[in-house]
Amino acid sequence: MSAFPRAGHLLSGAAALVLMLVQAPDSRAADPVDVELVLAVDVSLSMSPAELEIQRRGYVAALTHDTVLQAIADGAYGKIAVTYVEWAGTTWQHIIVPWTVIANRADAERVVDQLSAHAPNSARRTSISGALQFSSDLFAESGFQGVKRVIDISGDGPNNQGAPVDIIRDELVRQGITINGLPLMTRGGFTSVYDVNYLDRYYTDCVIGGPGAFMIPVNEWTQFPEAIRRKLVLELAGPASPQWAAEEAAHPSVVLAQDKPATDCQVGEKMWRDRSWMFDTR
């Protein structure tokens, strides 16, 4: 057999190997972290500019707080992945901070710098379900593998646009995602007929869900920074940790997810349908 056929076989084999490598899916392992955390923050028009700024400053302070950084350090991997999203109506979600690892204070300060770079925007309507769907999609593109996947969602009113929030909540819980809530019951901004007096119950029954899910109501804006700090510590530490027990002992108002809904989960949609002369704000 001449050398030419052998060379042809070698070239064919090399070409096949190159083709296999080109066509093979990316096999790089995702970076392991303790928590993949989506911070989903309401910026609907019912929030005043001052309140939007209070929210931003609250997250800035919490992400660099010693107890939050300690909760991160105490994890199995000692790091989390976080992204910060602002949301309003069904199609209005903006990523302010893309997926970023926080393992130490320097990492947290880089996130804070991004949060502080631009003032928050605002938009019409309130679609908690849209925010949850958008947030869940972010996990697929995070590049991380978290022991827990958590959506931390805040808002000052019920869902009034998009899919029913409890249906989306249940779908995400089936995917292993935990949803924690921060209902803003401050009434300090543009109050309207779309407000509900039992937003904490609404969040408990219709929004939060998944393993260890909880919500922390905010009744005054002065409570917001501390509520955010506590919420992050609890999300990162977990119910079995000493930090959770210490936070519960000091602040026993954490409300865990309930088994049986008692609230009309479409109250926001019904109020929106029943509107007459009201301005389209929420």
Side-chain angles (χ1 to χ4, degrees), residues 59-64 97 102 106-117:
Y59 282 99
V60 164
L63 286 168
T64 54
V97 179
I102 298 180
D107 293 338
E109 288 175 350
R110 279 193 287 272
V111 172
V112 163
D113 287 343
Q114 293 181 74
L115 279 179
S116 305

Side-chain angles (χ1 to χ4, degrees), residues 171-195:
E171 179 183 319
L172 269 55
V173 168
R174 285 193 291 270
Q175 297 174 25
I177 297 170
T178 296
I179 304 165
N180 295 327
L182 193 76
L184 307 175
M185 305 170 63
T186 57
R187 298 294 184 270
F190 304 121
T191 57
S192 76
V193 293
Y194 306 123
D195 291 329

Side-chain angles (χ1 to χ4, degrees), residues 230 234 241-252:
R230 289 183 57 214
L234 296 178
S241 73
Q243 280 180 297
W244 178 289
E247 289 288 344
E248 276 285 79
H251 308 278

Side-chain angles (χ1 to χ4, degrees), residues 173-231:
V173 168
R174 285 193 291 270
Q175 297 174 25
I177 297 170
T178 296
I179 304 165
N180 295 327
L182 193 76
L184 307 175
M185 305 170 63
T186 57
R187 298 294 184 270
F190 304 121
T191 57
S192 76
V193 293
Y194 306 123
D195 291 329
V196 294
N197 294 322
Y198 49 90
L199 190 62
D200 50 350
R201 283 198 359 247
Y202 176 87
Y203 262 70
T204 300
D205 295 339
C206 307
V207 179
I208 68 174
F214 65 91
M215 70 92 192
I216 299 177
V218 174
N219 296 298
E220 301 289 343
W221 278 112
T222 55
Q223 301 172 352
F224 188 83
E226 176 64 10
I228 289 295
R229 184 204 63 78
R230 289 183 57 214
K231 196 153 177 285

Side-chain angles (χ1 to χ4, degrees), residues 68-105:
V68 173
L69 294 174
Q70 188 61 53
I72 293 172
D74 288 344
Y77 295 104
K79 58 184 178 180
I80 66 169
V82 63
T83 181
Y84 187 100
V85 177
E86 292 181 339
W87 61 272
T90 305
T91 60
W92 203 98
Q93 301 92 21
H94 287 184
I95 297 173
I96 307 303
V97 179
W99 284 110
T100 305
V101 168
I102 298 180
N104 50 48
R105 182 173 295 277

